Amino acid sequence: DAGVIQSPRHEVTEMGQEVTLRCKPISGHDYLFWYRQTMMRGLELLIYFNNNVPIDDSGMPEDRFSAKMPNASFSTLKIQPSEPRDSAVYFCASSFRSGSAGYTFGSGTRLTVV
Amino acid sequence: GESVGLHLPTLSVQEGDNSIINCAYSNSASDYFIWYKQESGKGPQFIIDIRSNMDKRQGQRVTVLLNKTVKHLSLQIAATQPGDSAVYFCAEELTGGGNKLTFGTGTQLKVEL
């Protein structure tokens, strides 16, 4: 398996533009997580899915953020409109059932909003 | 993908020495703990885990110790190598937490030659 695949690796956009981040989890994993990492706040859980259903979105900063998982092999995190304070590295991770040996993270998307 | 914060604790060790990285977790109801390693430009990578019914678990060159009384977790790395230089995070999962992990702030390990 190629692991968790995220795209793009880097994204630079202007304030007010829509940004879509993409994730392909490991085949067979039934949990998918979106994290945001910044120098000030570390790793923050934004939202996670189980069997394509959103379970906890309490970490989503505000209505500008939305996430979908239309099928078991694809998820998106969308920011509309983007703001400079959204600049961060966004990680997707997947895992197999509750309590299993941790998550497998993707390489992340570095988002810069100017 | 750098995760280093401006005020990350830093541990500097000489190559070949043993490293001990500490973590205080917050919730006494947590029953599963994991250590992750994050190298510059990469996502966190699983190192070793431990459940709350254990005090110690060993892997290859790494050992995790759990002290539930004081809610403390440590990662010991034997014979530290330059490739061990990274940021290390502990993470905890609550009992019945639905596979949701909460991460600590991280410790930067620097291995000096």
Side-chain angles (χ1 to χ4, degrees):
Chain A
D1 200 314
V4 176
I5 300 173
Q6 290 186 248
S7 64
R9 274 294 262 140
H10 302 275
E11 177 80 35
V12 181
T13 191
E14 292 186 343
M15 182 174 63
Q17 296 298 305
E18 176 180 298
V19 176
T20 299
L21 311 181
R22 297 172 175 80
C23 176
K24 181 182 187 316
I26 291 175
S27 177
H29 281 191
D30 53 355
Y31 283 84
L32 183 139
F33 305 82
W34 282 101
Y35 279 83
R36 177 172 66 177
Q37 187 173 45
T38 61
M39 293 172 64
M40 296 302 295
R41 301 174 69 92
L43 272 164
E44 302 174 276
L45 177 65
L46 300 177
I47 185 171
Y48 77 99
F49 297 82
N50 178 215
N51 292 322
N52 312 339
V53 176
I55 303 301
D56 184 350
D57 65 353
S58 60
M60 296 286 262
E62 49 199 88
D63 291 345
R64 297 184 299 106
F65 285 69
S66 63
K68 294 182 180 179
M69 192 166 186
N71 57 63
S73 59
F74 184 65
S75 177
T76 59
L77 178 68
K78 184 177 294 185
I79 308 172
Q80 166 63 19
S82 58
E83 297 182 3
R85 61 194 169 116
D86 301 330
S87 297
V89 180
Y90 291 81
F91 287 104
C92 176
S94 68
S95 73
F96 176 58
R97 77 174 175 269
S98 179
S100 60
Y103 306 165
T104 301
F105 281 83
S107 298
T109 294
R110 176 176 289 278
L111 174 64
T112 303
V113 183
V114 297
Chain B
E2 291 83 6
S3 65
V4 174
L6 288 173
H7 301 290
L8 268 187
T10 299
L11 174 66
S12 294
V13 299
Q14 293 291 319
E15 182 181 6
D17 287 351
N18 297 333
S19 303
I20 300 177
I21 300 171
N22 297 304
C23 175
Y25 63 92
S26 57
N27 199 320
S28 56
S30 294
D31 65 352
Y32 181 56
F33 305 88
I34 308 175
W35 279 101
Y36 284 88
K37 172 186 180 183
Q38 186 175 25
E39 298 173 278
S40 181
K42 298 182 179 180
Q45 180 183 14
F46 173 91
I47 302 174
I48 190 168
D49 61 353
I50 189 168
R51 297 207 170 272
S52 58
N53 60 352
M54 301 173 68
D55 297 323
K56 178 180 179 179
R57 190 166 188 218
Q58 287 185 290
Q60 186 177 12
R61 279 202 310 120
V62 294
T63 301
V64 56
L65 298 177
L66 175 62
N67 185 331
K68 295 180 287 294
T69 303
V70 294
K71 293 189 288 186
H72 184 267
L73 199 64
S74 69
L75 176 70
Q76 301 178 1
I77 304 173
T80 311
Q81 302 168 0
D84 295 327
S85 294
V87 177
Y88 290 81
F89 295 94
C90 65
E92 61 184 299
E93 180 183 331
L94 288 173
T95 304
N99 214 23
K100 175 179 169 180
L101 290 177
T102 301
F103 285 81
T105 53
T107 297
Q108 173 82 56
L109 175 65
K110 294 186 177 180
V111 181
E112 299 170 349
L113 303 178

